[in-house]
């Protein structure tokens, strides 16, 4: 039986069709799930990071979300994209962590209608404390990440999903379980807030925000597979 399992693993590659990877992973095949993680790691990390605003917390949340997803993979139905299904699990795990540590989740539409100008002014206050001019690309990227971190919670998450990860508003609506019109509204407001705090000629590409290198990807995959050894599958 073990030899047969190794034979199946040998034919699984990054080009293997997603449905085949899901089928094998749902029955506990670690190689198949490792490939799934590598295909979605960057998007899911950035999503968790947009909610938790901390690299280490985002990694922890992502690992836990992966374990939940792996064990529930047999319940996945192809009427939704796997990426959307995974994002939803990561969002729920990340928001759950905020609630468990007592973080206050302020209704996002409320903050945009507050009459006190200090409420919105605070969103760009930290930018003024940054040294200027910043010549290195890494410093400019940091400025952009600081501004994204200062966005209200779900504006920030919607912005990262849409603008950084280039998910469609429909995909984000499914993942966040909110109307697509709400996604478009929050994305528009997030962009306006960012423009208010950034110099107009700052040449930074969004793809560089919250960089996700190979070492982080490998670390997350290794950790999930190690923790997943005790999982039970159908």
């Amino acid at each position: 039986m073990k030899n047969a399992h190794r034979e199946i693993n040998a034919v699984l590659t990054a080009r293997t069709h997603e449905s085949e990877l899901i089928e094998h992973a749902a029955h506990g095949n670690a190689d198949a799930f490792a490939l799934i993680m590598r295909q979605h790691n960057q998007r899911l990390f950035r999503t968790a990071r947009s909610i938790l605003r901390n690299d280490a917390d985002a990694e922890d949340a992502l690992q836990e979300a992966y374990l939940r997803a792996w064990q529930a993979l047999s319940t996945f139905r192809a009427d939704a994209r796997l990426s959307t299904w995974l994002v939803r699990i990561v969002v729920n795990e990340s928001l759950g962590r905020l609630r468990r540590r007592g973080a206050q989740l302020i209704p996002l539409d409320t903050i945009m209608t507050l009459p006190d100008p200090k409420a919105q002014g605070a969103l760009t206050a930290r930018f003024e404390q940054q040294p200027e001019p910043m010549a290195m690309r890494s410093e400019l990227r940091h400025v952009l990440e600081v501004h994204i971190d200062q966005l209200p919670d779900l504006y920030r998450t919607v912005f990262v999903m849409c603008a950084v990860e280039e998910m469609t508003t429909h995909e984000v609506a499914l993942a966040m379980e909110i109307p697509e019109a709400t996604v478009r509204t929050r994305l528009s407001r997030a962009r306006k807030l960012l423009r208010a705090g950034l110099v107009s000629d700052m040449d930074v590409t969004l793809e560089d925000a919250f960089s996700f290198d190979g070492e982080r990807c490998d670390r997350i995959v290794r950790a999930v597979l190690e923790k997943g050894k005790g999982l039970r599958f159908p």
Side-chain angles (χ1 to χ4, degrees):
M1 191 69 176
K2 289 183 178 178
N3 289 336
H5 185 66
R6 280 198 296 270
E7 258 182 39
I8 292 174
N9 289 346
V11 301
L12 296 178
T13 70
R15 295 185 177 181
T16 301
H17 194 277
E18 185 177 85
S19 61
E20 188 176 350
L21 291 177
I22 292 171
E23 181 181 357
H24 290 308
H27 288 87
N29 187 304
D31 289 346
F33 195 67
L35 287 168
I36 289 174
M37 285 191 286
R38 291 188 182 281
Q39 291 171 4
H40 297 90
N41 256 343
Q42 178 170 281
R43 172 172 292 181
L44 299 182
F45 171 78
R46 283 172 164 175
T47 299
R49 177 63 175 72
S50 73
I51 295 172
L52 296 166
R53 286 189 280 186
N54 177 280
D55 285 8
D57 289 346
E59 282 195 36
D60 288 344
L62 179 53
Q63 290 175 25
E64 185 61 33
Y66 268 140
L67 291 171
R68 293 176 185 273
W70 193 4
Q71 201 155 29
L73 201 52
S74 61
T75 69
F76 173 73
R77 297 292 175 263
D79 55 347
R81 293 182 60 178
L82 178 62
S83 58
T84 303
W85 186 75
L86 291 171
V87 166
R88 185 179 300 157
I89 293 173
V90 170
V91 167
N92 289 338
E93 174 64 27
S94 300
L95 291 177
R97 285 171 178 254
L98 286 184
R99 293 187 187 97
R100 287 194 293 274
R101 69 190 188 197
Q104 183 181 11
L105 303 180
I106 301 173
L108 300 181
D109 291 333
T110 301
I111 196 169
M112 295 305 299
T113 57
L114 290 175
D116 186 355
K118 294 180 181 179
Q120 294 189 33
L123 295 173
T124 56
R126 265 186 259 172
F127 177 75
E128 297 172 358
Q129 300 170 11
Q130 297 294 330
E132 294 182 340
M134 295 182 176
M136 297 180 64
R137 188 179 185 86
S138 61
E139 292 175 330
L140 296 176
R141 185 183 66 200
H142 173 69
V143 172
L144 178 60
E145 291 176 350
V146 167
H147 278 283
I148 294 174
D149 273 348
Q150 291 173 355
L151 291 171
D153 294 338
L154 292 185
Y155 288 161
R156 183 175 61 254
T157 299
V158 165
F159 179 81
V160 170
M161 287 181 180
C162 290
V164 182
E165 272 304 308
E166 298 183 342
M167 293 175 66
T168 67
T169 55
H170 179 67
E171 290 172 337
V172 175
L174 289 176
M176 300 290 292
E177 297 181 313
I178 56 178
E180 189 171 352
T182 302
V183 174
R184 289 194 293 267
T185 298
R186 291 177 181 174
L187 177 61
S188 174
R189 290 178 177 174
R191 290 185 185 280
K192 288 178 182 177
L193 286 171
L194 285 175
R195 280 197 296 268
L198 292 169
V199 179
S200 61
D201 61 353
M202 187 175 290
D203 184 22
V204 179
T205 59
L206 287 171
E207 289 81 2
D208 287 338
F210 308 117
S211 60
F212 190 89
D213 56 24
E215 181 182 350
R216 191 194 302 276
C217 183
D218 291 341
R219 182 169 62 247
I220 290 173
V221 170
R222 284 196 305 269
V224 172
L225 295 183
E226 181 62 31
K227 293 177 181 177
K229 287 180 179 179
L231 296 179
R232 303 182 67 178
F233 299 90

